[in-house]
Amino acid sequence: IYIADLSNDRIQIFNSNLEFKRIFGSMGVGDGQFNSPTAIAIDERSQIFIADTSNHRIQVFDSNFPLFTFAVKLFSSTGIDADESFTIAVQTERAFPSNLIQIG
């Protein structure tokens, strides 16, 4: 279970019994650093998409944190989700159609 810890600019990871496993990330603008992470989605390849809201980007990692894959720079991302076919949708505050950007 991955939790976006907005107030502490990090990701907390728990097992299925809600036992703490680890913390990932810190405050900053570099790879693996966050400024108000607000949402997390995981695709069928176990890539982890994190809405790094105040850094205006989506950071993508593989399931072996902290291997950084890439970042998508946005004006502001406010949410992220994956549907049943693992299509990733990012909600933004800009005037994109429906304020959603689809990845994948």
Side-chain angles (χ1 to χ4, degrees), residues 20-92:
F20 175 78
K21 289 181 67 179
R22 66 184 284 210
I23 292 172
F24 174 73
S26 61
M27 172 62 168
V29 298
D31 296 347
Q33 294 183 315
F34 306 100
N35 188 355
S36 303
T38 55
I40 300 172
I42 301 173
D43 72 6
E44 78 279 3
R45 294 179 294 185
S46 297
Q47 292 184 111
I48 302 162
F49 294 75
I50 300 173
D52 187 9
T53 302
S54 293
N55 280 332
H56 311 292
R57 65 185 178 178
I58 302 297
Q59 292 196 66
V60 183
F61 302 86
D62 76 5
S63 60
N64 297 315
F65 277 118
L67 180 61
F68 177 76
T69 306
F70 67 90
V72 177
K73 195 77 168 161
L74 300 170
F75 173 73
S76 183
S77 56
T78 58
I80 190 167
D81 198 10
D83 67 13
E84 64 279 352
S85 66
F86 295 101
T87 298
I88 303 296
V90 179
Q91 183 175 4
T92 71

